[in-house]
Amino acid sequence: MKKPVYYHLNFLLVITVLFSAGNQAWSQGGPGSYSFTGDDIIVELNRNGISRVASPRDQYNANVVSSPWGRAEVAYRIGPGDWLSIYTGNTDIEQVSDDKLVYTSDDKGMPLTMVRTYEKVGRGVEFTVRIENKHWVPVTIGDLAIPFQTTGPRGFSNPSQIFEQGYTKHRYIAGNSSFIYFTRASGEPPYLMVMTKPGTALEYFDGRYEYIHSGVSSVRPDVNMLPIGRGLYSDVYVKPEEEVELGTWRMENTTKELAPEGEPGNYIEYGFRLEWADSYDEMRDILYENGLFDTRVVPGMTVPQGLSAKFSLRTKNTIDSIVAEYPDDTRIRFLELNDADHHIYEVEFSRLGENLLTIHYNSSEKTILEFFSTEPVETLIQKRSRFITESQQHRDSAKWYNGLYSVWDMNEKVLRGPDNTGGFDYWWGYVLASDDPALCKAPYVAAKNVYLPVDKEIESVEYYIENFVWGGLQRTDQEEPYPYGIYGTPNWKVLRDPVLRAGIRNRYMDVTAVWRSYDYPHIFMLYYHMFQIAEYYPDKVSFRDAEGYLELAYQTARAYFIYPWELMPYYETYQWGFYNELVLMPLIDDLERYGRQEEADWLRAEWEKKVKYFVYDDPYPYRSEYPFDRTAFESTYALAKYGTLYDMEPSENTWYNKKLDIWYSHPEVNREDSREFMDRQLWAGLAVRGWLETSYYQYGSDFSLSYMARMGGWGILDYGLVFADNPWDWLQLGYASYLSSFALINTGTPETDYGYWFPGKENDGATGWAFNRSKYGRIWLQGRNHTRGAWNYDGEADLGHGAIFRMSATILANDPLFGWFAYGGVMSETAGSFSVIPKDGVRNRFWVVDDDEKVGIELTRDGFKRDTPLVYSQQEGTLTMHIENRAGDSHETILIIKSADDWELL
């Protein structure tokens, strides 16, 4: 569709974004203060609008609002004149009744009047914004923006502020039937919903101010003239007579012409409803009862080609039609309308990239579903690994970083590195040679080659280990002190050179800089998967054999627990969740299998110290490098699962916290406490994950569709398969999380120029670091501004891609809404038997989930034969499969049978 062009305003709009440190109550009965109170909601208002929204059922008495809600920012023009801002001063307030207030902003010399009405209606509070033309000529509304600024989970030293007073914001901006909801950072209910009323449509949000844009497009000043905030705001910024566009959106941005005073159509009105809910199911019911859509999708909204999706629209509305953005490349089939108002459809896409479905309803309203179609998952996995080894490795023996895998820039189609930074200078240079962005790539390639081996890729990883890691990034076994230590930021070249180190202003540079806990799991994950490769395919490795790689994995894991604690108490390995550290569990098992019981016992004891801390010593352990960190949810689930499945012994003086000068002891330890922590961990994880928001960059995803989507999603899917009595929601959300960030991998065919986000054969297999959801706004990559879509750098993305091999599975599930459905597979049914062709990308796990049973099988190596069905007979209770030999030699393959009735098997 054609993008709109907007023009420069002739005024400077300056709005300060304030983030409250807590509640914002004022004296009841004071000048200009009003409130609506009841059993279901508390809303307080001052002269600017809603200043407090709280729930009577909230034990923490938290306020969602950080700056008043309800006042609209409006840009308009008369005829072809300049854009102007509506007058909002001298607001008159009329208390119509105990349950209704009317705010009028009217300057007799201005052409527009704004009337805001706040009213207690049932369990909630509703407010409307009405803009009326008093002029004798038409007036064009170019932008109407509603602020919803929030008390977020901010701060470093006050957990109660973060997890009890702070809220995360979930936005579903989709025309009519748009909504926002707010969840406490701990995930504990109640949850606040803000919904559009009939006739109100939201079109987009933007990331510099907290604005939702309602039914009209944006015209705002040059971004460089505005202070920067966080959240929602405007759209394109153009200097006079220049047609420059910043940002895109998937819906049309409209303008609205108001007729002259006294004529029909001389006003516009937008309405919202606020209501609290005590559960996600209740939020869905509230959407349904208020005339919106409660939508569910399987297997997710990122849909690999060759697979279909089903979606359910639960609504009281009359659905007129569902229109595909690309009708010739889309097949939509209506399946049924059941007694609970679930309209169920099936859809398939043959066009790669974004695919919009527009739902037209009630004759005049519409909302959207945003899908993304990718190449098949196995193609994505293979292309990504090949791209890393062929396009992202520096091979120059004259360079200190010989062998390094570094960051790819899709904009410029170039490999960045220490000598070609692309602006990643000073401390940000770590993304090019150290830390998570650089260190995550080799572990992904190694993990992939355990299951889908390619000789050239394995050789590339060993080149990286031999030339960049061993004796460079990592101290060798002969280097004293701290053998096997990993150097952190800015890079090992600087940290090994006393002269270069002297130029760094860091109070910890006076010790050997191997204290950064985050760096270790990448390397022991790398070594562990190389151990597996060496064991399965001994002729494909040369740097170490299986026992040698096992030794490297163990010693690096041992250093992980010792050196950070010894050298820098700020980085407490036991207190924070670190990505990839869950690899310790299979590493311990394999140490035992190789007869190294003493080493296995030592690692297990260290891991159990961490489990006990998370379960017993911190009420809010959902943190990592930041006070509320999405990277922590992979580890926190792994810790909870371990404590639930294994007995741990009580302990006195378990470990000593040097920073706080205290010992932690655990005189009573039981599995039930870990199981209770697991529930808390999962609800906190939902606070940062899209569940009701049916767009591919939110559904199942973390807030920025980043590598963290799949990492935290692993626990959600595993919980549905292993622990949940009612697994259906968890399977829906968990599998959507597995698929979600495949949308960031930039691949394609010659017909699609090899990539949706950044075309060109050079980018076929590259990936984005994360996703910018707003039309245009600041991202956390060096504070750069970015248009909507995938970032052009890969960065930490392969952390999430590494989690593919923990999550990948084909799941045949008897969903109570959708019936029998194959997540990650193509299913057909004949006389009580189900044939499922696995399409999950790895083809080594298969689950059957019904009301009465959960049974899974897993191959430790090899995989199910490509394009060949597994046949499950429900009547006979049998499963028939074909296994392919991926090594081409004679060997044993272990088949593990998993049953949720016997947790010890898991």
Side-chain angles (χ1 to χ4, degrees), residues 285-500:
D285 289 340
I286 288 172
L287 290 173
Y288 172 74
E289 293 297 335
N290 284 277
L292 284 81
F293 288 79
D294 164 26
T295 305
R296 292 178 180 269
V297 185
V298 290
M301 302 203 71
T302 296
V303 185
Q305 295 204 331
L307 297 180
S308 62
K310 290 183 178 181
F311 61 93
S312 166
L313 306 174
R314 180 187 174 215
T315 186
K316 295 181 177 181
N317 298 305
T318 299
I319 297 176
D320 303 318
S321 64
I322 299 180
V323 179
E325 183 175 11
Y326 305 106
D328 293 339
D329 300 311
T330 308
R331 186 180 71 88
I332 305 173
R333 185 162 66 99
F334 173 74
L335 298 179
E336 67 170 305
L337 170 60
N338 66 24
D339 293 338
D341 283 342
H342 290 275
H343 305 249
I344 301 176
Y345 300 81
E346 185 177 48
V347 63
E348 293 182 31
F349 303 102
S350 60
R351 184 186 181 99
L352 293 175
E354 294 180 305
N355 282 265
L356 197 71
L357 300 184
T358 302
I359 303 163
H360 296 267
Y361 64 99
N362 295 348
S363 299
S364 61
E365 296 187 285
K366 62 184 179 181
T367 189
I368 62 171
L369 301 176
E370 296 182 76
F371 287 90
F372 194 95
S373 176
T374 71
E375 291 193 279
V377 174
E378 193 164 336
T379 300
L380 299 176
I381 292 171
Q382 297 270 26
K383 280 191 174 184
R384 180 62 192 146
S385 186
R386 182 168 64 247
F387 188 87
I388 291 172
T389 54
E390 293 183 358
S391 299
Q392 292 193 244
Q393 186 169 39
H394 297 273
R395 289 207 177 200
D396 184 345
S397 60
K399 300 292 187 181
W400 67 266
Y401 51 87
N402 181 34
L404 168 70
Y405 297 112
S406 193
V407 175
W408 180 264
D409 181 349
M410 288 187 282
N411 261 343
E412 302 297 327
K413 301 178 182 178
V414 65
L415 178 62
R416 299 298 181 187
D419 295 328
N420 180 18
T421 66
F424 288 100
D425 298 318
Y426 307 106
W427 199 255
W428 267 94
Y430 76 80
V431 305
L432 302 173
S434 183
D435 202 72
D436 316 315
L439 302 188
C440 66
K441 303 181 192 323
Y444 165 75
V445 176
K448 176 264 180 188
N449 276 274
V450 171
Y451 304 99
L452 301 164
V454 175
D455 290 359
K456 286 182 62 177
E457 294 176 4
I458 296 171
E459 183 276 330
S460 172
V461 173
E462 289 209 305
Y463 188 92
Y464 166 74
I465 293 171
E466 187 169 5
N467 290 280
F468 184 80
V469 176
W470 191 242
L473 175 74
Q474 183 173 33
R475 294 169 70 84
T476 70
D477 55 341
Q478 301 300 311
E479 291 186 84
E480 295 288 347
Y482 312 117
Y484 299 97
I486 307 291
Y487 285 99
T489 56
N491 60 63
W492 66 258
K493 173 66 173 176
V494 170
L495 297 177
R496 282 179 174 272
D497 188 323
V499 176
L500 294 177

Side-chain angles (χ1 to χ4, degrees), residues 559-570:
Y560 165 67
F561 284 106
I562 296 175
Y563 300 161
W565 185 86
E566 286 186 359
L567 292 171
M568 192 168 109
Y570 178 77

Side-chain angles (χ1 to χ4, degrees), residues 77 95 120 305 333 363 573 695 835:
R77 66 181 176 188
Q95 186 166 1
K120 176 78 166 62
Q305 295 204 331
R333 185 162 66 99
S363 299
T573 304
S695 57
S835 294

Side-chain angles (χ1 to χ4, degrees), residues 650-717:
S651 55
E652 184 176 354
N653 293 341
T654 309
W655 69 277
Y656 176 64
N657 188 320
K658 296 167 65 175
K659 184 177 182 181
L660 300 179
D661 190 24
I662 59 173
W663 281 95
Y664 294 105
S665 296
H666 307 96
E668 295 184 9
V669 180
N670 60 70
R671 296 191 188 193
E672 289 75 16
D673 293 335
S674 291
R675 182 64 182 81
E676 186 273 335
F677 168 63
M678 179 184 290
D679 286 341
R680 291 191 287 117
Q681 185 273 344
L682 288 165
W683 290 114
L686 293 183
V688 295
R689 187 168 300 271
W691 179 211
L692 307 183
E693 310 98 288
T694 44
S695 57
Y696 72 89
Y697 48 85
Q698 296 181 98
Y699 193 70
S701 167
D702 65 314
F703 284 148
S704 56
L705 185 56
S706 73
Y707 60 95
M708 295 175 276
R710 195 178 287 117
M711 293 171 63
W714 163 74
I716 291 170
L717 184 62

Side-chain angles (χ1 to χ4, degrees), residues 743-764:
L744 293 174
I745 299 182
N746 190 81
T747 73
T749 63
E751 293 75 22
T752 61
D753 200 10
Y754 301 100
Y756 181 79
W757 298 113
F758 298 91
K761 190 172 183 179
E762 301 92 332
N763 287 327
D764 188 22

Side-chain angles (χ1 to χ4, degrees), residues 253-282:
N253 297 154
T254 60
T255 59
K256 177 69 174 178
E257 184 175 278
L258 303 185
E261 183 177 21
E263 295 183 15
N266 76 318
Y267 71 90
I268 55 173
E269 189 170 273
Y270 294 91
F272 302 86
R273 177 173 174 82
L274 283 62
E275 192 169 337
W276 288 97
D278 289 326
S279 69
Y280 285 87
D281 285 342
E282 187 177 0

Side-chain angles (χ1 to χ4, degrees), residues 648-880:
M648 298 183 292
E649 295 297 324
S651 55
E652 184 176 354
N653 293 341
T654 309
W655 69 277
Y656 176 64
N657 188 320
K658 296 167 65 175
K659 184 177 182 181
L660 300 179
D661 190 24
I662 59 173
W663 281 95
Y664 294 105
S665 296
H666 307 96
E668 295 184 9
V669 180
N670 60 70
R671 296 191 188 193
E672 289 75 16
D673 293 335
S674 291
R675 182 64 182 81
E676 186 273 335
F677 168 63
M678 179 184 290
D679 286 341
R680 291 191 287 117
Q681 185 273 344
L682 288 165
W683 290 114
L686 293 183
V688 295
R689 187 168 300 271
W691 179 211
L692 307 183
E693 310 98 288
T694 44
S695 57
Y696 72 89
Y697 48 85
Q698 296 181 98
Y699 193 70
S701 167
D702 65 314
F703 284 148
S704 56
L705 185 56
S706 73
Y707 60 95
M708 295 175 276
R710 195 178 287 117
M711 293 171 63
W714 163 74
I716 291 170
L717 184 62
D718 186 82
Y719 178 78
L721 292 171
V722 178
F723 297 105
D725 293 329
N726 188 1
W728 314 114
D729 283 2
W730 301 99
L731 295 185
Q732 288 178 19
L733 181 58
Y735 215 89
S737 299
Y738 172 63
L739 292 175
S740 63
S741 51
F742 281 118
L744 293 174
I745 299 182
N746 190 81
T747 73
T749 63
E751 293 75 22
T752 61
D753 200 10
Y754 301 100
Y756 181 79
W757 298 113
F758 298 91
K761 190 172 183 179
E762 301 92 332
N763 287 327
D764 188 22
T767 191
W769 193 334
F771 189 93
N772 182 32
R773 297 180 299 159
S774 65
K775 286 198 71 170
Y776 186 79
R778 181 163 295 214
I779 59 177
W780 45 264
L781 177 60
Q782 280 190 315
R784 299 181 178 195
N785 290 320
H786 202 284
T787 57
R788 186 191 63 85
W791 299 7
N792 60 299
Y793 287 97
D794 52 23
E796 296 162 303
D798 293 298
L799 285 169
H801 298 326
I804 289 170
F805 308 99
R806 300 164 202 152
M807 292 187 75
S808 58
T810 299
I811 304 169
L812 177 63
N814 189 9
D815 188 280
L817 177 60
F818 295 105
W820 284 100
F821 181 83
Y823 291 89
V826 177
M827 184 197 81
S828 60
E829 181 179 1
T830 306
S833 291
F834 298 90
S835 294
V836 181
I837 300 175
K839 299 281 187 179
D840 59 77
V842 184
R843 295 181 280 118
N844 74 315
R845 298 186 188 97
F846 181 76
W847 280 84
V848 177
V849 181
D850 200 352
D851 289 326
D852 301 324
E853 64 179 350
K854 299 178 190 171
V855 178
I857 60 173
E858 178 176 349
L859 298 169
T860 57
R861 61 180 297 184
D862 300 308
F864 307 124
K865 189 175 181 180
R866 185 194 305 270
D867 297 327
T868 303
L870 292 89
V871 180
Y872 167 66
S873 173
Q874 188 179 20
Q875 293 177 343
E876 299 177 5
T878 60
L879 178 66
T880 303

